[in-house]
């Protein structure tokens, strides 16, 4: 069974930093693009960042460029998102999701809530 | 960047009735379009990919159609568990979602 489990969410002040982790199991982790997708409270889905299976290529939404860094450790089957200079508008549930053929999100984690507030 | 616009924003339907949800792309997305269902407090679930292919375990009452820029998700006969929010999605230079359609009980 494929599972994705996010951790590292919490309350952080504006301007602060946080690192999210996504532990994967049940599939060949290094063969797939894995992504971060967020959802502000009561709003829609926004893709944030993704990384190729090898880690050689990373992708970022404009809202994440320069502040967020995605990385992965294939030996640990874990994806990370380091977020810095956090803003109130970054408050959201952050989901980790595996991309099938690099196109669609066929498996999702349960999400980690990040709250940016003073 | 391709923008996906979903309509309507919300839809009131009685159980057992048919629901049709629209997703329009700002330019052609060929056949690379997916639909997701999200229930409160849960992660989204992939329903349809490549416009019309049902994901594993998705009931036949869900179907997708369309091409180019106009796409439709149809739920042929709504079950109680189908009342949820539905999103369309495409990947071009980045991954893009529509803003969602909420299907509510009439």
């Amino acid at each position: 069974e494929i599972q994705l489990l996010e951790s590292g969410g919490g309350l952080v002040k504006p301007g602060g930093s946080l690192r999210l982790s996504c532990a994967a199991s049940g599939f060949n982790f290094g063969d797939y693009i894995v992504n971060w997708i967020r959802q502000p409270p009561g709003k829609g889905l926004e893709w944030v960042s993704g990384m190729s299976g090898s880690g050689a290529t990373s992708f970022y939404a404009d809202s994440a460029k320069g502040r967020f860094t995605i990385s992965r450790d294939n030996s640990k089957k874990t994806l990370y998102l380091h977020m810095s200079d956090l803003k109130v508008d970054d408050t959201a549930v952050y989901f980790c999701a595996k991309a099938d053929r690099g196109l669609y999100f066929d498996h999702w984690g349960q999400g980690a809530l990040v709250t940016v507030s003073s | 960047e391709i923008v996906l616009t979903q309509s309507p924003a919300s839809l009131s339907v009685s159980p057992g009735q048919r629901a049709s949800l629209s997703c329009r792309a700002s330019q052609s997305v060929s056949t690379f379009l997916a639909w997701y269902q999200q229930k409160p407090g849960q992660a989204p679930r992939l329903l349809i990919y490549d416009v019309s292919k049902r994901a594993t375990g998705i009931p036949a009452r869900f179907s997708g159609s369309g091409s180019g820029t106009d796409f439709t998700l149809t739920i042929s006969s709504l079950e109680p568990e189908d009342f949820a929010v539905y999103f369309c999605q495409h990947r071009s230079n980045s991954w893009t979602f529509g803003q969602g359609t909420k299907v509510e009980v009439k």
Side-chain angles (χ1 to χ4, degrees), chain A residues 39 47 101-105, chain B residues 32 36 38 50 89 91 95:
Chain A
Q39 186 169 39
W47 170 79
R101 295 181 291 150
L103 296 171
Y104 312 118
F105 306 113
Chain B
F32 301 121
Y36 300 82
Q38 188 180 31
D50 289 348
Q89 177 258 318
R91 181 194 175 182
W95 290 263

Side-chain angles (χ1 to χ4, degrees), chain B residues 6 13 16 21 34 39 45 49 56 61 65 70 72 78 85:
Chain B
Q6 291 185 241
V13 186
L21 288 62
K39 298 178 183 179
R45 176 174 70 148
Y49 65 96
T56 303
R61 64 181 181 273
S65 62
D70 290 305
T72 301
L78 275 154
V85 180

Side-chain angles (χ1 to χ4, degrees), chain A residues 76-109:
Chain A
K76 295 181 178 179
K77 296 188 176 183
T78 302
L79 181 75
Y80 303 99
L81 186 68
H82 186 264
M83 302 182 290
S84 62
D85 190 23
L86 282 161
K87 306 178 188 308
V88 172
D89 287 350
D90 295 318
T91 295
V93 174
Y94 285 73
F95 295 101
C96 168
K98 167 184 169 289
D100 178 51
R101 295 181 291 150
L103 296 171
Y104 312 118
F105 306 113
D106 60 343
H107 290 86
W108 298 64

Side-chain angles (χ1 to χ4, degrees), chain B residues 16 27 77 90:
Chain B
Q27 56 187 283
S77 177
H90 169 71

Side-chain angles (χ1 to χ4, degrees), chain A residues 36-78:
Chain A
W36 292 99
I37 296 156
R38 68 183 181 183
Q39 186 169 39
K43 296 190 177 180
L45 300 167
E46 180 192 13
W47 170 79
V48 174
S49 183
M51 179 164 265
S52 63
S54 66
T57 306
S58 55
F59 310 89
Y60 294 97
D62 287 344
S63 59
K65 285 177 184 172
R67 298 189 302 125
F68 294 2
T69 302
I70 192 171
S71 61
R72 64 194 292 163
D73 184 335
N74 286 350
S75 68
K76 295 181 178 179
K77 296 188 176 183
T78 302

